Amino acid sequence: MRMRRIRNSKILREMTKETSLRVSDFIYPLFVVEGVGIKKEIPSMPEIYHFSVDKLEEEIRELEELGIRAVILFGLPDHKDSHGSGAYDENGIIQKAVRKIKEISDILVITDVCMCEYTDHGHCGILDNSGNVNNDKTIDYIAKIALSHAKAGADVIAPSDMMDFRVRKIREVLDENSYDHIPIMAYSAKFASNYYGPFRDAADSAPAFGDRKTYQMDYHNSDEALREVSLDLDEDADFIIVKPALAYLDIIRRVKDNFNTNLVAYNVSGEYSMVKYAIKEGLVSEDIIYESLIGIKRAGAKMIISYHAKEMARKLKGE
């Protein structure tokens, strides 16, 4: 067989395309800050902004017009302490943002649940006397944060802390408080990656000391990711996130092949910024964005969290 016969025709290439990208595949991240009248570009992430709550409506309307139907929220509080109290405050930045968005739109609101943006030490949980994150104390706080988001109106809860048993604890607390209908989108295979740099700048969430290698996954490991996914599914996670995406396509494929679940890939800040700066310098064309996202879908992701979502939506809509 001559494989090129089908490739000779543009129409046949379109008809035999195995992988496609739709606007509805995207989840768009939003960074929300305290204050008024703020829409400020993040220096390390071109075309990505900090928004105050009062500026969210304009952004949500634009997303709706583009056909993007889901957002994931990250909050920057104006106060940090050792227990991350701003994360579960009824009037915390995420809680206010969720209420505002739900007032004006039926767009799906996913909330990232973690403590790193809210603790004065920048780690994702409660520290013990040795400066290590105490897993079992932390999950009580993680569940408390998740419940506060649910009460504010969040549609999906997405814990990103990588503590053991946090999915089970969140599920128990949500169910006990009559939020059994709210799904959990678990960051199950979240690696201790070097690709998070711009995000930590954007979210002011870099650890004040040490690193997160004791709770995030070792990027040398693949089998371990399958164990993490299996455990979270056993604890009743509804969605599984693999993070990062482009350097972890093998993980996405293995999860896809081994589990019948809703698989989400997080195309992270470092991946985004490297591509944007390479385009700016003329090293590659903008077509690399589409190619990269197709690669993530081809690997097996059903949905993609991506900072490229808006520009890809315009491309897919032919604007």
Side-chain angles (χ1 to χ4, degrees):
M1 179 180 180
R2 291 184 181 271
M3 295 294 290
R4 289 181 56 191
R5 290 181 187 131
I6 293 173
R7 299 177 198 149
N8 286 332
S9 167
K10 181 178 179 180
I11 294 173
L12 286 177
R13 290 198 302 271
E14 288 291 325
M15 293 176 69
T16 56
K17 186 184 298 180
E18 297 177 22
T19 307
S20 61
L21 199 59
R22 303 172 301 169
V23 178
S24 59
D25 295 333
F26 291 115
I27 299 167
Y28 189 60
L30 290 174
F31 294 96
V32 191
V33 299
E34 296 284 5
V36 178
I38 298 170
K39 180 183 178 181
K40 183 178 180 181
E41 188 173 29
I42 298 165
S44 58
M45 300 179 69
E47 301 170 33
I48 304 299
Y49 297 85
H50 285 136
F51 294 95
S52 53
V53 172
D54 62 303
K55 284 290 189 176
L56 283 174
E57 182 168 0
E58 180 181 351
E59 184 72 0
I60 293 297
R61 297 300 183 211
E62 181 181 357
L63 294 173
E64 289 177 326
E65 289 175 6
L66 290 170
I68 295 171
R69 303 190 295 184
V71 295
I72 184 166
L73 302 183
F74 300 92
L76 282 75
D78 57 5
H79 167 74
K80 300 188 180 194
D81 55 42
S82 63
H83 286 67
S85 60
Y88 50 85
D89 188 334
E90 180 181 340
N91 290 310
I93 185 62
I94 287 296
Q95 291 79 356
K96 290 187 289 189
V98 171
R99 288 194 292 267
K100 175 64 175 180
I101 293 171
K102 300 312 289 185
E103 284 175 7
I104 61 174
S105 174
D106 62 358
I107 198 168
L108 189 81
V109 177
I110 306 164
T111 55
D112 178 86
V113 174
C114 195
M115 300 184 72
C116 58
E117 298 105 313
Y118 302 88
T119 55
D120 52 15
H121 48 73
H123 279 283
C124 301
I126 306 300
L127 301 184
D128 61 22
N129 292 332
S130 301
N132 298 312
V133 176
N134 184 307
N135 190 96
D136 294 356
K137 282 186 178 180
T138 296
I139 63 173
D140 289 336
Y141 282 86
I142 293 297
K144 190 175 182 178
I145 298 166
L147 180 60
S148 74
H149 290 184
K151 287 180 176 179
D155 298 299
V156 181
I157 301 297
S160 62
D161 55 290
M162 284 299 286
M163 297 298 122
D164 294 333
F165 314 120
R166 91 277 203 207
V167 173
R168 181 176 67 190
K169 185 68 175 181
I170 291 170
R171 187 73 275 158
E172 289 174 355
V173 169
L174 290 179
D175 291 357
E176 288 168 0
N177 287 274
S178 301
Y179 292 104
D180 53 301
H181 60 287
I182 293 185
I184 297 173
M185 182 180 287
Y187 290 72
S188 299
K190 180 179 179 180
F191 290 83
S193 171
N194 296 296
Y195 284 93
Y196 302 150
F199 176 92
R200 290 178 180 175
D201 175 41
D204 189 24
S205 63
F209 61 89
D211 53 44
R212 295 176 179 150
K213 292 181 180 179
T214 62
Y215 42 101
Q216 294 179 0
M217 281 190 57
D218 185 339
Y219 56 69
H220 296 90
N221 298 347
S222 174
D223 292 345
E224 184 185 1
L226 300 189
R227 293 183 63 195
E228 287 279 12
V229 170
S230 179
L231 288 167
D232 281 0
L233 289 173
D234 286 345
E235 293 175 27
D236 213 6
D238 302 281
F239 300 85
I240 295 298
I241 299 176
V242 174
K243 179 183 180 182
L246 291 177
Y248 297 81
L249 297 177
D250 61 316
I251 307 298
I252 296 170
R253 171 45 61 182
R254 290 195 70 189
V255 173
K256 171 67 174 177
D257 288 344
N258 283 275
F259 301 97
N260 180 20
T261 188
N262 297 302
L263 178 54
V264 184
Y266 198 143
N267 178 211
V268 299
S269 60
E271 297 168 341
Y272 170 84
S273 293
M274 286 194 302
V275 166
K276 295 295 285 187
Y277 282 113
I279 292 169
K280 182 179 179 181
E281 293 298 318
L283 301 175
V284 293
S285 76
E286 289 188 353
D287 290 340
I288 198 173
I289 300 171
Y290 180 80
E291 181 180 349
S292 298
L293 294 170
I294 281 290
I296 296 170
K297 283 293 297 289
R298 191 178 64 244
K302 184 173 291 186
M303 290 162 279
I304 305 173
I305 302 170
S306 180
Y307 304 95
H308 292 296
K310 286 168 65 174
E311 57 193 318
M312 283 310 308
R314 295 186 186 99
K315 177 182 177 65
L316 295 170
K317 289 168 67 74
E319 293 183 5

